[in-house]
Amino acid sequence: MSDTQINLPERSEVVVIGGGVIGCSVAYHLAKFQSMDVVLLERQQLTSGTTWHAAGLIGQLRGSINMTRLARYTRELYEGLEAETGQATGYRKCGSVSIATHEERFEELKRNASMAKVFGLGVNVVTPAEISERIPLLYTGDVIGGIHIPTDGYANAVDITQALAKGARASGARIFQNVKVTSIRTGAGRVTGIGTDSGSVEAGYVVLCAGMWTRDLAASIGVNVPLHACEHYYALFESVAGLDEDLPVIRDYDACTYYKHDAGKLLVGAFEPRARPWGMDGIPEDFCFDEIAGDFDHFEPILQGAMARVPALESAGIQKFFCGPESFTPDVRYHLGQAPEFDNCFVAAGLNSIGLQSAGGIGKVVAEWMRAGRPPADLWEVDVRRNMPFQGNRKYLHERVSESLGLLYARHYPYRQYESARGVRKSPLYERLAAAGACHGETAGWERPNWYAPPGVEARYEYSYKRQNWFEYSAAEHRAVRENVALFDQSSFAKYRLEGPDAARALNYVCANDVDVRPGRIVYTQWLNGNGGIEADLTVTRLGEDSFLIVTAAATEVRDFHWLKRHVPADAHCVLTNVTSAMGVISVMGPNARKLLQPLTPDDLSNEAFGFANSREIELGYARVRASRITFVGELGWELYIPTEFVAGVYDEITAAGEALGLAHAGYHALDSLRIEKAYRHWSHDITDEDTPLEAGLGFTVKFDKPGGFIGRDALLRQRQQGLQRRLVQFRLLDPEPLLYHNEPVWHRGRIVGHVTSGSYGHTLGGSVGLGYVDTSEVQDVGELLQDGFEIEVAGVRTPAEASLRPMYDPDGTRIRN
């Protein structure tokens, strides 16, 4: 069928909206590998939005292992696409070189090179002399090192898209151009089809791949896809002396610049620190293969730096100064996957200028996700379900994306905080904690105290890969929790209530643990998928016969709510309500927690009267609060759930009484160091939808024999019978200096056997502590495996480490139960 013949089918199994490289890749993978009936609709012509002006870089190394795997798949797909389809792609495997002119940047590059070893991506650390020899064009006088990836390269984005479209058509997909989608139709909680200016199509699934148009299109049916367009610049230089067609792609991150050979010319592009948002008032209806005016003065500092880096540019001519729009997201991670609002609506948009080098992997996982009903790997960092409702706010997006673009080439320091669009969500204690020295970080829009500056010290970050300026202050908070008592503000917890006569039955089917307990009991549990993978890690408190309080992490507020809502049986009589904003949370933790709190309440807080994992309402100050004896730090303590309007008063009571005891304020950095000493798992790092409770050492939370079973039970039974192929292990570096963060390779007797999933400094244990999975498929005795021989690689250097399956701190848990 000709693309120009508008004769839409009445129905299609899948309708893909958007004919850029992302939409065409999704259509290609759905049609070829899943044999699904696919219709792709493009409002103008294929690639006419932003794909056509993509610089064409194909880089593979990303900030996490799964994202790098997707980028690697993309490169492998493009290598064979021309032979498969007969369509030229302009693909060239010229390699890439990233340079560092600052020690902290070099540290970042070396850490990434170490991470790449986990899955066999060849990344070489190179010296300035080696860089100069490979790329004579470059001035390297200020370069201190870099990395070389031989298998990176570039391609023509338009040609790649046309090849994907041709491959999709060959597998039966139907592609229609010049068809504008005017509406998405919904009913009974599902997307039912689309309306266009050329007719309507019923659909089993709809995939939104509309680039910078996606936000408004999704919002029309209540789906939240936060993104906003920004101006994106590059310049083409001609007559560049010494330019070689074999030139590797060059990334000068410290100068925010990249370089690429482009048909005999040199393309110089940039990700400047402060971008210019575009399209605040909407995108012109006729926008198609269009450029935007841009601002040469805005780009001029980049050009000056480029001429210093490539001196030949001083005598070359600028053939083209280009500015075009690209869509960016609030956290510089793209949006992918099943929308929480509709089971059969998928999203692939907001590519942050890495669309071409991500498209292959995106198409693959969308196709697999749609067919299997679950993601094929842990994709949480790009999962569309991570987004909070407020992030669709236009003012917020306009301010945040001005920072987002520049963060692509900024140094990716541990604990780096966003500077724009801050103060969105604040607990009732924000001002009081700021007065106490809090340095706030942001998670899911919440301002949360990460650490506290002592009097006379400014509460601001000074970033580094080494010990940052807050290290010793957080260490003091850590010790206060271990030795005395400290207060945390954890109001950002996501909190839901499930209520009704079938609440217990419904919740017990979703939970791996048994939550059908007496009122007042707290149950730590996971929610699993059909493969036994961990979808959520949280606590459930039974408030009454028909009422439960569910508490989970701030970052997963949307995801977890919709997971439970989606899996409550259709015949269950119960109501799920998000009550996050109704309660603040003050946690009082440490061996003197009872000594502090008992005089403030007439209720008995003794161990005999108020044991661990119990929750009840108590009087405190002028309020009635829910006190839950639970911990994420490994010490005696209570989480106090307080109606929002009473939070400040309760805080004042506690801090006034705490003066005599030396009560400390503690932040989330201390919380992290405390929890990792106790080997408490962190969802999205140590446990994900790829990991099972048995592999993660959480088998004690799984109640196989409870009535009615639970989601994932059969998969866990099979795994238990077949034996575990991997185990989560706690590590401590024997050298107290190196710092662990995540993704560091784990070596055992000269072989990589896993990687660190999360790391922090263990101030009590005296060194960096990490958690990570270890391959045990060929091990007869896991205990023997853990005795010796472990090393963890940090920025290319291996450091000996001890390993344990039990928590290294208080392995028997006696401190939390006294």
Side-chain angles (χ1 to χ4, degrees):
M1 179 181 293
S2 169
D3 285 341
T4 58
Q5 182 181 348
I6 311 294
N7 185 16
L8 300 181
E10 292 183 0
R11 192 184 190 285
S12 179
E13 192 174 0
V14 184
V15 172
V16 178
I17 304 175
V21 69
I22 301 300
C24 288
S25 179
V26 170
Y28 170 88
H29 285 85
L30 285 169
K32 180 174 181 179
F33 297 105
Q34 303 300 329
S35 300
M36 298 181 82
D37 175 33
V38 179
V39 165
L40 183 148
L41 304 176
E42 163 55 41
R43 60 185 290 276
Q44 298 275 4
Q45 299 176 49
L46 298 184
T47 77
S48 64
T50 58
T51 296
W52 72 273
H53 62 71
L57 308 187
I58 300 173
Q60 301 165 88
L61 190 56
R62 294 285 176 270
S64 71
I65 287 170
N66 276 347
M67 291 299 101
T68 305
R69 284 175 177 154
L70 292 188
R72 186 177 185 180
Y73 167 81
T74 298
R75 187 265 300 173
E76 293 167 350
L77 172 69
Y78 292 171
E79 276 189 308
L81 200 54
E82 184 169 333
E84 176 194 338
T85 65
Q87 165 71 48
T89 61
Y91 176 79
R92 187 176 185 87
K93 187 165 66 175
C94 59
S96 72
V97 173
S98 299
I99 63 174
T101 58
H102 189 282
E103 287 293 345
E104 293 287 335
R105 176 71 71 183
F106 197 29
E107 172 87 2
E108 177 182 339
L109 294 179
K110 288 187 291 185
R111 282 177 174 266
N112 285 342
S114 291
M115 179 192 72
K117 295 178 183 178
V118 174
F119 46 89
L121 176 64
V123 178
N124 308 309
V125 177
V126 290
T127 65
E130 290 171 319
I131 294 169
S132 184
E133 181 180 1
R134 187 179 300 275
I135 313 174
L137 277 175
L138 285 189
Y139 168 71
T140 57
D142 59 343
V143 174
I144 59 176
I147 58 173
H148 172 231
I149 305 177
T151 53
D152 276 355
Y154 61 83
N156 183 296
V158 171
D159 290 343
I160 287 284
T161 305
Q162 294 292 353
L164 290 167
K166 188 172 182 180
R169 289 189 186 98
S171 297
R174 290 167 287 180
I175 296 176
F176 297 89
Q177 301 182 75
N178 299 304
V179 176
K180 180 183 177 181
V181 173
T182 56
S183 64
I184 302 175
R185 298 173 180 176
T186 63
R190 295 178 61 81
V191 172
T192 59
I194 54 92
T196 79
D197 55 6
S198 299
S200 61
V201 183
E202 294 182 11
Y205 294 90
V206 170
V207 190
L208 306 180
C209 306
M212 58 187 172
W213 289 270
T214 304
R215 179 199 171 278
D216 289 344
L217 187 63
S220 71
I221 56 170
V223 172
N224 185 32
V225 185
L227 54 81
H228 197 294
C230 285
E231 296 177 358
H232 189 46
Y233 294 84
Y234 60 74
L236 271 175
F237 284 82
E238 59 184 354
S239 304
V240 179
L243 181 61
D244 186 338
E245 66 177 7
D246 293 325
L247 179 78
V249 172
I250 304 163
R251 294 180 177 88
D252 183 359
Y253 290 112
D254 291 326
C256 311
T257 312
Y258 63 88
Y259 304 83
K260 181 202 108 175
H261 180 271
D262 193 297
K265 305 172 184 63
L266 186 67
L267 185 150
V268 179
F271 292 96
E272 65 275 20
R274 303 302 297 182
R276 290 162 55 96
W278 179 81
M280 188 68 175
D281 298 324
I283 301 169
E285 183 66 25
D286 59 352
F287 193 90
C288 178
F289 296 113
D290 286 339
E291 301 180 30
I292 55 181
D295 182 345
F296 188 83
D297 290 342
H298 179 76
F299 191 60
E300 188 174 18
I302 296 294
L303 291 180
Q304 291 174 349
M307 290 178 182
R309 181 62 60 208
V310 181
L313 294 181
E314 293 184 5
S315 56
I318 296 182
Q319 186 202 51
K320 176 74 173 177
F321 169 67
F322 178 83
C323 180
E326 297 268 6
S327 60
F328 290 83
T329 66
D331 56 7
V332 210
R333 293 179 276 150
Y334 53 78
H335 299 310
L336 181 66
Q338 188 177 34
E341 296 85 356
F342 298 98
D343 288 353
N344 61 336
C345 180
F346 280 73
V347 175
L351 269 297
N352 301 288
S353 201
I354 58 170
L356 181 68
Q357 53 196 305
S358 305
I362 287 174
K364 179 176 185 289
V365 299
V366 167
E368 292 173 346
W369 193 335
M370 191 178 294
R371 180 59 83 188
R374 66 175 70 94
D378 170 30
L379 300 171
W380 167 241
E381 63 187 286
V382 293
D383 194 322
V384 70
R385 293 173 292 177
R386 75 188 185 277
N387 295 307
M388 297 293 137
F390 78 86
Q391 291 180 303
N393 178 283
R394 286 177 172 83
K395 180 180 179 181
Y396 168 83
L397 285 171
H398 184 268
E399 293 180 12
R400 174 54 64 83
V401 297
S402 66
E403 179 182 7
S404 296
L405 183 146
L407 291 177
L408 282 165
Y409 274 25
R411 294 178 199 141
H412 299 94
Y413 285 120
Y415 314 108
R416 182 167 186 149
Q417 302 298 319
Y418 294 103
E419 297 175 359
S420 59
R422 290 291 298 269
V424 177
R425 306 171 82 182
K426 297 179 180 178
S427 95
L429 300 179
Y430 178 82
E431 299 296 344
R432 283 171 166 80
L433 300 181
C439 184
H440 285 90
E442 184 226 325
T443 296
W446 283 100
E447 295 293 328
R448 311 197 305 183
N450 279 345
W451 56 279
Y452 287 83
V457 174
E458 185 179 358
R460 67 175 182 85
Y461 279 92
E462 295 174 10
Y463 297 115
S464 170
Y465 275 95
K466 307 298 191 226
R467 286 162 169 74
Q468 297 186 9
N469 62 313
W470 49 266
F471 184 87
E472 291 300 335
Y473 308 139
S474 186
E477 298 165 23
H478 179 113
R479 287 190 287 271
V481 176
R482 290 279 183 253
E483 300 166 9
N484 186 24
V485 62
L487 178 150
F488 297 87
D489 177 16
Q490 294 186 279
S491 298
S492 62
F493 274 149
K495 317 165 197 80
Y496 325 128
R497 287 180 71 123
L498 186 68
E499 299 172 283
D502 292 329
R505 173 173 69 88
L507 198 52
N508 230 14
Y509 173 69
V510 176
C511 296
N513 209 335
D514 189 354
V515 299
D516 192 4
V517 294
R518 65 167 174 78
R521 289 290 292 175
I522 306 169
V523 179
Y524 170 52
T525 188
Q526 288 77 44
W527 295 345
L528 310 180
N529 57 40
N531 289 339
I534 300 170
E535 294 285 346
D537 180 70
L538 42 79
T539 62
V540 174
T541 301
R542 190 164 199 169
L543 306 178
E545 190 64 26
D546 298 333
S547 180
F548 294 83
L549 175 67
I550 299 148
V551 179
T552 187
T556 57
E557 179 182 338
V558 171
R559 184 186 199 277
D560 293 350
F561 184 87
H562 284 279
W563 179 269
L564 180 55
K565 184 177 180 181
R566 182 170 285 155
H567 290 89
V568 167
D571 63 346
H573 295 283
C574 52
V575 176
L576 179 64
T577 308
N578 188 336
V579 296
T580 298
S581 298
M583 291 181 285
V585 181
I586 295 174
S587 294
V588 179
M589 297 286 158
N592 284 329
R594 183 181 288 115
K595 187 176 181 181
L596 170 59
L597 291 176
Q598 185 61 86
L600 303 180
T601 178
D603 297 272
D604 189 351
L605 302 184
S606 68
N607 198 47
E608 295 73 23
F610 204 139
F612 181 71
N614 281 276
S615 177
R616 69 177 63 130
E617 285 195 347
I618 66 171
E619 295 179 24
L620 208 165
Y622 294 128
R624 289 193 61 80
V625 309
R626 173 159 293 278
S628 294
R629 190 174 163 193
I630 196 75
T631 182
F632 197 53
V633 299
E635 302 293 342
L636 169 69
W638 281 265
E639 292 174 356
L640 305 175
Y641 292 79
I642 311 161
T644 301
E645 65 270 30
F646 291 96
V647 171
V650 170
Y651 169 86
D652 291 343
E653 292 274 349
I654 293 171
T655 53
E659 289 185 13
L661 286 176
L663 171 70
H665 285 75
Y668 274 82
H669 291 338
L671 188 78
D672 195 41
S673 63
L674 291 157
R675 72 94 188 168
I676 207 161
E677 286 190 329
K678 197 70 174 67
Y680 287 146
R681 282 68 166 146
H682 185 283
W683 193 87
S684 80
H685 287 99
D686 312 311
I687 47 179
T688 72
D689 54 7
E690 289 187 88
D691 312 309
T692 73
L694 304 185
E695 295 168 333
L698 298 173
F700 66 92
T701 69
V702 180
K703 299 299 184 285
F704 286 102
D705 299 328
K706 66 176 178 174
F710 56 90
I711 300 170
R713 177 179 181 273
D714 292 345
L716 293 189
L717 286 172
R718 287 192 299 271
Q719 187 179 63
R720 188 171 67 174
Q721 182 178 15
Q722 295 167 359
L724 300 178
Q725 303 298 300
R726 56 204 284 270
R727 299 282 294 274
L728 189 67
V729 175
Q730 186 182 30
F731 300 97
R732 182 181 71 88
L733 296 186
L734 300 184
D735 182 342
E737 288 305 310
L739 299 179
L740 297 178
Y741 297 116
H742 58 87
N743 289 337
E744 295 87 356
V746 175
W747 294 77
H748 185 256
R749 298 175 184 173
R751 181 172 70 95
I752 292 178
V753 294
H755 67 276
V756 172
T757 51
S758 70
S760 187
Y761 201 84
H763 299 286
T764 309
L765 295 177
S768 278
V769 180
L771 296 174
Y773 289 92
V774 168
D775 179 5
T776 58
S777 58
E778 300 178 6
V779 175
Q780 298 295 323
D781 184 349
V782 176
E784 182 180 343
L785 171 75
L786 299 180
Q787 287 179 6
D788 68 335
F790 277 102
E791 297 173 302
I792 297 179
E793 181 176 331
V794 179
V797 178
R798 299 188 209 172
T799 300
E802 65 172 326
S804 176
L805 288 174
R806 303 186 71 208
M808 293 181 181
Y809 178 80
D810 188 26
D812 296 320
T814 56
R815 294 179 67 87
I816 67 176
R817 290 181 169 83
N818 290 333

